[in-house]
Amino acid sequence: MTQWDVALDARATLGEGPRWHHGEARLYWVDIARNELHRFDPVSGRDECRAFEAPIGCFAFRTGGGLLLAMKDGFATIANWDAQPMPFGEQIFAGRPDIRFNDGRTDPAGRFWAGSVNMAKSAQDAALYRLDADGGISEIEGGMLTCNGAAFTADGATFFHTDTPSHALRRYAADPASGALSDRSILHQFPIGEGRPDGGSVDIEGYYWTALFDGGRVVRLSPTGEIVAEVPLPVKRPTMIAFGGADMRTAYVTTARAGLSESELAEQPLSGAIFRFTVDVPGVAETPFAG
């Protein structure tokens, strides 16, 4: 069995979106519920944090430096760690209090794909969007509650994501040149009550890893959908798995404390921590956003 350890006892309310920055050798991540962006140095153990006026669902590094942030009302950029956010593209969720951005990934061409969530669960009006380098935003697929788990294979020819409450992982053929998706299918349907797929990442063999929220584990799925590896964790709510380290063989898993009872938190004191373990097959490195 793969041995995990605690990278950071962050006690995050809703830890999410870990991304490895090769140049800085840092793990960036967010606590959505606290409107926080974090930058963690696994060598020193130092975790820097800055808070914003609105939640950050996900983010991407940018080609010229700084970050792209997917926030409550729309996208924004920061030129560096200390900079103030500047709106980027149309603020498409302004005036829609139940909707915010949730999870996203850059494709190998530098476009950013971000899913939204209906926080009130009042309607299936969450969707998957594509942000192009010029700030143009296209709605790709709608009719969801919690669009999650966006990830591409290294060649950009396959895309994965999930509407988390459906317990179904979706797979698409992707056109790296145009950014078009086609041939949607179900990669894997998880049983109800055993954890639902949250954030995911792909390794260089094209296998998809997903964190199972309320399932207490992360799993690795083959390109045909079989579960080929499973890593149990001592917490109920893992939220996202991503890869880092110089060789991209360190898996980092964010987790959440949100929604857990006092008794559950007492039984799972590491809820909200970031876990790590070593994998045999490296993960796909993050592509910076081209805008």
Side-chain angles (χ1 to χ4, degrees):
M1 182 179 295
T2 300
Q3 182 61 48
W4 52 263
D5 73 340
V6 177
L8 178 67
D9 189 5
R11 300 182 67 83
T13 302
L14 184 54
E16 268 284 6
R19 295 289 181 265
W20 181 258
H21 193 296
H22 270 286
E24 297 179 8
R26 302 289 190 273
L27 184 77
Y28 283 66
W29 61 282
V30 297
D31 189 333
I32 299 176
R34 294 178 177 172
N35 301 356
E36 293 175 350
L37 174 68
H38 290 252
R39 181 168 62 177
F40 171 60
D41 178 359
V43 175
S44 69
R46 182 188 182 197
D47 182 60
E48 301 172 83
C49 171
R50 59 168 300 189
F52 292 80
E53 294 182 358
I56 302 169
C58 55
F59 63 90
F61 307 119
R62 298 179 68 198
T63 301
L67 285 86
L68 171 76
L69 309 177
M71 304 189 76
K72 162 61 190 77
D73 289 344
F75 297 103
T77 59
I78 55 175
N80 53 57
W81 174 258
D82 297 311
Q84 291 303 305
M86 302 294 293
F88 185 82
E90 182 184 358
Q91 301 298 287
I92 59 175
F93 301 143
R96 301 179 65 186
D98 290 347
I99 303 293
R100 65 161 168 79
F101 275 116
N102 184 55
D103 174 272
R105 209 48 157 280
T106 309
D107 67 21
R111 297 170 290 239
F112 192 65
W113 299 69
S116 60
V117 57
N118 184 307
M119 295 177 285
K121 309 302 180 188
S122 57
Q124 290 182 298
D125 54 357
L128 173 70
Y129 298 86
R130 188 189 70 229
L131 174 68
D132 295 328
D134 63 1
I137 303 171
S138 302
E139 181 174 334
I140 304 301
E141 184 172 350
M144 291 178 269
L145 281 172
T146 308
C147 186
N148 238 330
F152 286 85
T153 52
D155 62 3
T158 305
F159 174 70
F160 306 92
H161 82 98
T162 180
D163 181 12
T164 290
S166 73
H167 291 63
L169 283 172
R170 302 174 179 178
R171 175 181 54 201
Y172 303 73
D175 184 335
S178 69
L181 301 180
S182 61
D183 298 332
R184 187 179 105 178
S185 62
I186 301 299
L187 177 70
H188 189 91
Q189 179 71 54
F190 288 92
I192 302 297
E194 298 180 15
R196 49 198 186 273
D198 199 328
S201 291
V202 179
D203 63 34
I204 62 171
E205 291 183 349
Y207 286 62
Y208 182 89
W209 287 81
T210 185
L212 293 175
F213 191 85
D214 280 339
R217 65 198 190 281
V218 295
V219 298
R220 184 185 189 227
L221 296 112
S222 74
T224 54
E226 293 85 8
I227 295 176
V228 297
E230 183 172 311
V231 181
L233 296 170
V235 297
K236 185 178 182 181
R237 294 190 158 172
T239 57
M240 171 75 191
I241 179 170
F243 299 98
D247 59 2
M248 292 297 288
R249 292 181 59 240
T250 301
Y252 289 97
V253 183
T254 49
T255 66
R257 298 171 63 84
L260 296 177
S261 67
E262 289 298 323
S263 62
E264 287 175 317
L265 289 171
E267 293 169 356
Q268 305 164 44
L270 290 174
S271 294
I274 299 176
F275 296 88
R276 66 186 163 200
F277 56 88
T278 301
V279 295
D280 294 328
V281 180
V284 175
E286 304 295 336
T287 302
F289 176 61

